[in-house]
Amino acid sequence: MSMSQEQLLQVFRCMVKIREFENRAHEVFLAGELPGFLHLYLGEEAIAAGVTAALRADDWVASSHRGHGHLIAKGGDIRLMMAEIFGRSTGYCRGKGGSMHIADLDLGILGANGIVGGGIPIATGAALACQYRGTDSVVVSFFGDAASNRGTFHEAVNMAAVWDLPVIFVCENNLYGVSTCQRDHMRITDVAERGAAYGIPGVVVDGNDVEAVYEAAVTAVSLARQGAGPTLLECKTWRHQGHFVGDPCAYRDPSEHEEWMAKDPILRGTRLLIEQGLATEEAIARLTSEIKAEIEEAIEFGRSSPWPDEADLLTDVYSE
Amino acid sequence: MSMSQEQLLQVFRCMVKIREFENRAHEVFLAGELPGFLHLYLGEEAIAAGVTAALRADDWVASSHRGHGHLIAKGGDIRLMMAEIFGRSTGYCRGKGGSMHIADLDLGILGANGIVGGGIPIATGAALACQYRGTDSVVVSFFGDAASNRGTFHEAVNMAAVWDLPVIFVCENNLYGVSTCQRDHMRITDVAERGAAYGIPGVVVDGNDVEAVYEAAVTAVSLARQGAGPTLLECKTWRHQGHFVGDPCAYRDPSEHEEWMAKDPILRGTRLLIEQGLATEEAIARLTSEIKAEIEEAIEFGRSSPWPDEADLLTDVYSE
Amino acid sequence: MGTDTVSTKTMTYAQAICDGIAVEMRRDPDVYVVGEDVGMFGGGLGVTLGLLDEFGPRRVRDTPLSETAIVGHAVGAAAAGLRPVAEIMFDDFLGIVMDELGNQAAKARYMFGGKVKIPMVLRASCGAGIRAAAQHSQSLEAWCAHVPGLKTVAPSTPADAKGLIIAAIRDNNPVVFLEHKILLGIAGDVPEGEYIVPIGKAAVKREGDDVTLVTWSAMVPQAERAAELLAEQGVSVEVIDLRTIVPLDKEAILESVANTHRLVIVHEAVRTGGFGGEIAAIVADEGFDLLDSPIKRVTAPDTPVPFSPVLEDAYLPSAEKIKAAVLDLM
Amino acid sequence: MGTDTVSTKTMTYAQAICDGIAVEMRRDPDVYVVGEDVGMFGGGLGVTLGLLDEFGPRRVRDTPLSETAIVGHAVGAAAAGLRPVAEIMFDDFLGIVMDELGNQAAKARYMFGGKVKIPMVLRASCGAGIRAAAQHSQSLEAWCAHVPGLKTVAPSTPADAKGLIIAAIRDNNPVVFLEHKILLGIAGDVPEGEYIVPIGKAAVKREGDDVTLVTWSAMVPQAERAAELLAEQGVSVEVIDLRTIVPLDKEAILESVANTHRLVIVHEAVRTGGFGGEIAAIVADEGFDLLDSPIKRVTAPDTPVPFSPVLEDAYLPSAEKIKAAVLDLM
Ligand SMILES: Cc1ncc(C[n+]2csc(CCOP(=O)(O)OP(=O)(O)O)c2C)c(N)n1
Ligand SMILES: Cc1ncc(C[n+]2csc(CCOP(=O)(O)OP(=O)(O)O)c2C)c(N)n1
Ligand SMILES: [Mg+2]
Ligand SMILES: [Mg+2]
């Protein structure tokens, strides 16, 4: 199923929002304003945007350490996100979690995760909850190429397959786990080949082509909703920056980087909108500056929000 | 490569030795003489015998909870084994390990293992040692169908594949993990399909046909020795008894059991030897009673050996 | 707790746990049981026998042999509103799932600023005594106790086992429920129906004035037996069964020590890093002035659990060893 | 130990570890380094930078993202005669590998009746202080300490880091080597060449008569700072850096308490179930008669590690908090 014009505009908007969020987070981090680790989603925007466009509000996502894009795409409030990565009391987690630990259960966001591959079983469990309760909600689990080498991937995908759970395993294959390139961490070229090991479909798409991502996601989501169980959807992509902010990324070949930069999903989205006459360059510039203003507002909100109270240290350990 | 007549007789002898060891261990357990858990290898003898026939003395095996057969086939001393499962000081582990924890490093036996799937990474590490030192020794990892759902399987097989390690992953698929039948623990029919997930060959053989097992093992071993890396070798089989001694095995279909009992590897081995004129019924009976005497001697050795000294409790925790 | 006039029934510790789970499954459709062979086979040691018949395979779920996914999926299911009662057959397998338990289940609420709850129970058999050797006999409550966000429970009687499993299932936090294999077959009177033993409350099993024995799980009967032996020698022993490891009922301990002025801690886990250290540390701080003599620990030695009966018997703390430790103090 | 007249060189704690590994790799061809990104990238926090250039990819091995296989394969490699020096980036990932570490590496020798040795080192960064939040900041030495068969080491200075990594690599047992992230960049004088600090020996960092502070890892500088502050107030503090958690140098502790009669234990790990409990328990038993006052612990609270700098700073034990605890005792 291909996207309507309206949808196309929406996912484009979503991609730009992620892009601008990350660009500014990057700058603010470099300016020394953000504590901790920051793993940017720059370059991978089409995956979060395309996949979540195939979801409903009552569907779920489980994210990774590289989570900002997933959260924004699923409707996360960028003010609360920004405040959280600033470590402020107004943040999503009241400053307790930071970039790798943001959740919004009301929006179906099961959380970013500091443990690579840690979200895959969690997504599987949420999918069991959907099936158990007889809803037709589905769950998306986002993780990287390197994460697909973890035991959690194997055990959870197998469990989801045996139980026909409504979960879509989305592998964001940016060809590297930190400095280790794919051919040094697995023998195969397509992570999607692993689907066959569990008797589920394995699908490869160009992860920088938001339409392709969307279409593959729609198919996977509809299988899941119908009770046919999981799909492993591999999206080939590239991170524009280092593994985290501060990584000079010396392990990647500059010419490969150049090639991939030319396939930037936002560049392609822009071209597509213009070619199809869905937007003019001016309209896109306007949209981008609107979003920039939103982001600026979020940053200002984060930056000017109060720090948590020391007493907060001891709360939220147990639930009543 | 098919077996010479002599080899055929040898593997047959090995199978009978395992069979008789297990039959008697079973009886002695039921008589209350053996402490702990006992997982019998009855019915699966062709796998251990066929695979180890493809190995050299300087090759390694890593075993499972159902380990007696592997140990015997790799040359384990049945007197020391029996003494160990009797819990005596003369046993392989001086009574400290029991059935699930027998090793003999000198024979290349890396140990049985009480953790299902626990031996798979260990085998992988031993294979790295072989490669690292430039020997052409190989390692065999034995594990069950259910074990192939553990994260250890996934991580270790992938690591072995990436590093071209000389290890053969032998899945003894007896169609059940305790009471859970294969279709309830994985969607696929052949565990061997999982090889493709790591870019390695996945091979299915009739695990009750010792010649077929041997031939497949020879191919896998020779690939490993040549530096081509691991193979996943699935051997379809059936355990004759419950999961452990004491399990009435109520979860299996009696008619399926009957069918499989007719495929008993020793029955088939006997038929083969006679048909090929390699042995007469009398010769087989003689061989069997010779082996029975050996086993009896081992039992007597175990039974009459002294208990460990209480002071042994505190030794062997650390190495100098 | 419970109501005043409850009718009781004799059942084993294993049956009592099963009964408690069944009570909750009838009451709350979100409760489900999950683990390897928990259905027809009744789980690793038969505790869940019968649940499949009553509740069917949707609510009593056999899993693949995948402990990580068992615990990991439970975190997600709980976050999404269910109440999983998951089993890993032996607590020796905690090492396989400590990430899911310690980094996900226990921390989710805190990391997310209080915006999620993870109401799940992780059941596992613990302890030595059946010649199951080093990888099927451990007592690993101390690992769990060191993880803020987890609760850990280790009952010693059938009634407590029922009351605590119900409390654990109703708790809105991840609870590790340790069932000692030696206790599974022990019978006792168990209140019928909804019977709750609150998490975090110790039980005084026997009153005494000379020395306090603090213990839990399968060491409770050993401590009680030691108390009997010591009574014969004129030593009056108070036996406290913690029942819950975390949250610890520290008041019960300090109150008793205020009376006896002597403390012996008994646990089956290996000594170094065992939970006995925590108890000793609390009393050596908050109860220092109450003490008349050194705090003693009676524990397993710092070795893996050996297989041979001779060695395993020597490994386990016993009434005799407890008695000797107490006499040392007097 | 080391020889008498060693030449030293100024290097960071991270460089000292790397230097120690390199010394052993030059000496023993069976030593190899293995873990995620340990090659060109230098591992999680850059400690192994440079080893790939000197020793090449056969001996400095990047792995797939598979902690279980990293530790599990190391057990097999060690059993077969190699000496792996494995890295998991953060000790927070111990929960992923506790089975391989606790059930395989630590127990193999005992289970097999003394017929195998497992000479492997597992390196991991530990500790809070860099706003890395709940899953990248823990101090989990207490989990390791509760596993017989393991040794656990946690140095606080560059020289000790070098001397102990060499000792760990030469040890014929599995050794967990915890590198505190706050210390990695701290520079100090480090003996060149083969320099060994024996496993199991504490260091008296400062002598004093009024109170003994027992601590390790990144809490050592805090304790030293507290001792300085207290000296200004006329309180004389002895600071003991354990350096090794297991085997514990209990004599060093008891000897010091015999002189000071007061004990404060300081650790960064959360309080409940922390290794401080073990130390307190030993002293409350074997050193009871030496004590003039309660044993105090200064630790992190029982919460996950929070992200926000304000909260993380409040979470961490500090010189000020140590000082307050000591003054409480006087
Ligand atoms: C279990 C675990 N191991 C290691 C790490 C450290 N780490 C964080 S991200 C990462 C690489 C992940 O690569 P991939 O899954 O491909 O995702 P990407 O970062 O490329 O998006 C590593 C090794 C971690 N956080 N968790
Ligand atoms: C990690 C782990 N989980 C569970 C168990 C308990 N257990 C022992 S054997 C077994 C089933 C193994 O099935 P499979 O791998 O097919 O081997 P089989 O017993 O059929 O030979 C189980 C669940 C265990 N020992 N280790
Ligand atoms: Mg990647
Ligand atoms: Mg099986």
Side-chain angles (χ1 to χ4, degrees), chain A residues 92 132 155 313 318-320, chain C residues 29 58 110 115 150 172-173:
Chain A
Y92 254 121
Y132 187 95
E155 295 197 2
L313 173 62
Y318 291 96
S319 168
E320 283 308 297
Chain C
R58 174 172 160 274
Y110 191 85
K115 295 198 182 122
L150 285 188
N172 281 327
N173 299 283

Side-chain angles (χ1 to χ4, degrees), chain D residues 30-99:
Chain D
D30 287 335
V31 177
Y32 70 101
V33 165
V34 62
E36 292 155 20
D37 305 291
V38 291
M40 181 180 179
F41 200 74
L45 296 169
V47 172
T48 56
L49 268 176
L51 293 178
L52 177 67
D53 283 344
E54 179 172 354
F55 299 102
R58 174 172 159 275
R59 297 187 68 195
V60 181
R61 309 181 70 92
D62 282 348
T63 65
L65 205 160
S66 301
E67 281 80 7
T68 305
I70 292 169
V71 179
H73 102 281
V75 178
L82 300 185
R83 303 185 89 85
V85 179
E87 171 177 313
I88 56 171
M89 293 180 169
F90 296 86
D91 80 339
D92 307 71
F93 309 157
L94 277 171
I96 301 174
V97 304
M98 277 315 280
D99 190 65

